[in-house]
Amino acid sequence: MDSSVGVGRSVLAILQWWGFNVTVIIMNKWIFQKLDFKFPLSVSCVHFICSAIGAYVAIKLLKVKPLIEVDPEDRWRRIFPMSFVFCINIVLGNVSLRYIPVSFMQTIKSFTPATTVMLQWLVWRKHFDWRIWGSLVPIVGGILLTSITELSFDIFGFCAALFGCLATSTKTILAESLLHGYKFDSINTVYYMAPFATMILAVPALVLEGSGVVNWLQTHEAVLSSMLIIFFSGVLAFCLNFSIFYVIHSTTAVTFNVAGNLKVAVAVLISWLIFRNPISIMNSIGCTITLGGCTFYGIVRQKLAQQPGTPQTPRTPRSLVELLPLVNEKEDKV
């Protein structure tokens, strides 16, 4: 009985995570394409504001999670740099959605494991087991095939998505050193980072997109309903962080990895059904190879992590030991 309840809870957690994630992605694309609100910085700012308010309500009023106290000095020395990278990561994701289809953007985002390993190897001089490198081959190959055969290719959107992968990897790597000593869950992470991200992005959004937003408000036909959709996308963006907290505590690391890659496939399928962007057969094959490679990478990383004496969160590059990358850990993500 307990086993069936546990399985049911895991399935429910995964489904609600998929629902929020796919809905946020589709709504953002709808805002850019159908509502003609082509202002990714402003959309990101709305998301940060909603997330900051939502996290405050969840922690301070509803007491869903206890507040993790952070020293004022650490907020600027540790949280602010993380918030800056977090902000860049979200903005680049929305910028890429502005220019390229959801299917292409999601496939490129699957390149994150490879960028994380490469960054740790090039910048931090960390070394990895050969099986980790081998598991990256289908990911890189699938991305190359998808990019070459993408029928709606846009160089600006492609670069935004690719640099978004680098930002995600940088955030993951920096989190280990900057947030060392703090056991943040996704709600507390948003509680501290979203206000900083709003502060960082508010001025660039106002300067770069302010006049365009004003013009859109004056010329768009259904302003009220469109603004409600934009606001609702921000509410769902916060709910997505909450759902990540739930799914991580309801599934195993392997299940989380596989479910994450299947989520990408679901997002690609639903986006195609809604927006009908052209997808060639070779493009579909490239996407499938990439997602399969990500799943294989997660399984390899998990098996190596279970080996005795293998460090799971390496902190020093001094010795040439086999170190594991910090992607897809069984921890909370933003």
Side-chain angles (χ1 to χ4, degrees):
M1 183 67 177
D2 291 339
S3 177
S4 60
V5 172
V7 172
R9 182 184 178 188
S10 297
V11 172
L12 180 62
I14 290 171
L15 289 177
Q16 55 90 31
W17 177 43
W18 282 6
F20 282 122
N21 190 281
V22 173
T23 304
V24 168
I25 293 171
I26 298 300
M27 283 192 72
N28 286 352
K29 186 64 177 178
W30 184 276
I31 289 168
F32 296 136
Q33 185 169 320
K34 300 296 184 179
L35 300 185
D36 202 35
F37 190 82
K38 303 183 185 299
F39 310 105
L41 299 185
S42 300
V43 170
S44 301
C45 212
V46 170
H47 287 190
F48 291 145
I49 293 171
C50 291
S51 295
I53 295 173
Y56 180 87
V57 171
I59 292 177
K60 291 288 190 177
L61 302 182
L62 301 180
K63 310 292 184 182
V64 175
K65 288 288 293 182
L67 176 64
I68 297 175
E69 297 292 343
V70 178
D71 295 334
E73 181 182 352
D74 281 346
R75 294 188 186 188
W76 288 99
R77 188 165 56 92
R78 297 189 181 192
I79 304 296
F80 183 79
M82 282 295 300
S83 302
F84 183 77
V85 180
F86 166 68
C87 178
I88 292 176
N89 178 35
I90 299 300
V91 168
L92 287 175
N94 283 331
V95 169
S96 65
L97 271 180
R98 159 77 171 79
Y99 292 97
I100 59 178
V102 172
S103 56
F104 190 31
M105 177 264 195
Q106 286 288 287
T107 305
I108 297 173
K109 291 290 287 183
S110 300
F111 194 56
T112 301
T115 56
T116 303
V117 172
M118 291 174 186
L119 271 178
Q120 288 183 297
W121 177 62
L122 290 171
V123 180
W124 282 270
R125 302 298 181 185
K126 294 186 177 180
H127 298 263
F128 304 98
D129 189 285
W130 65 269
R131 286 165 288 186
I132 289 291
W133 290 107
S135 67
L136 297 179
V137 172
I139 298 178
V140 176
I143 292 292
L144 288 174
L145 180 59
T146 304
S147 301
I148 292 172
T149 59
E150 174 58 46
L151 299 177
S152 304
F153 185 85
D154 181 275
I155 187 63
F156 189 73
F158 171 78
C159 290
L162 194 59
F163 281 110
C165 291
L166 291 173
T168 302
S169 299
T170 303
K171 178 173 69 73
T172 303
I173 296 170
L174 289 180
E176 186 194 3
S177 57
L178 291 178
L179 302 184
H180 177 56
Y182 293 103
K183 294 293 184 180
F184 279 116
D185 53 73
S186 59
I187 307 302
N188 273 277
T189 301
V190 173
Y191 178 86
Y192 283 107
M193 289 190 184
F196 275 134
T198 303
M199 181 179 68
I200 292 168
L201 190 59
V203 174
L206 185 63
V207 172
L208 297 176
E209 298 180 347
S211 60
V213 171
V214 171
N215 183 63
W216 180 86
L217 290 170
Q218 294 174 343
T219 58
H220 192 69
E221 294 181 357
V223 173
L224 181 58
S225 60
S226 297
M227 290 298 293
L228 287 175
I229 291 174
I230 295 171
F231 171 75
F232 189 58
S233 73
V235 174
L236 289 180
F238 166 72
C239 293
L240 173 59
N241 285 283
F242 199 87
S243 71
I244 293 173
F245 163 75
Y246 181 40
V247 76
I248 285 174
H249 288 81
S250 304
T251 62
T252 64
V254 175
T255 303
F256 183 71
N257 170 56
V258 175
N261 293 309
L262 288 176
K263 170 181 63 65
V264 175
V266 172
V268 169
L269 176 61
I270 294 178
S271 70
W272 179 80
L273 290 174
I274 294 176
F275 299 105
R276 294 292 179 175
N277 56 286
I279 302 177
S280 66
I281 295 177
M282 293 303 294
N283 191 260
S284 301
I285 293 174
C287 181
T288 303
I289 292 173
T290 301
L291 297 182
C294 288
T295 303
F296 179 58
Y297 163 83
I299 293 172
V300 169
R301 193 202 61 78
Q302 188 65 22
K303 287 185 176 180
L304 289 175
Q306 293 172 351
Q307 292 181 359
T310 306
Q312 295 191 39
T313 53
R315 294 189 178 281
T316 173
R318 294 172 187 169
S319 60
L320 300 182
V321 294
E322 301 297 348
L323 302 176
L324 294 181
L326 305 175
V327 165
N328 287 334
E329 292 287 352
K330 186 72 164 61
E331 62 185 20
D332 297 333
K333 293 176 174 60
V334 178

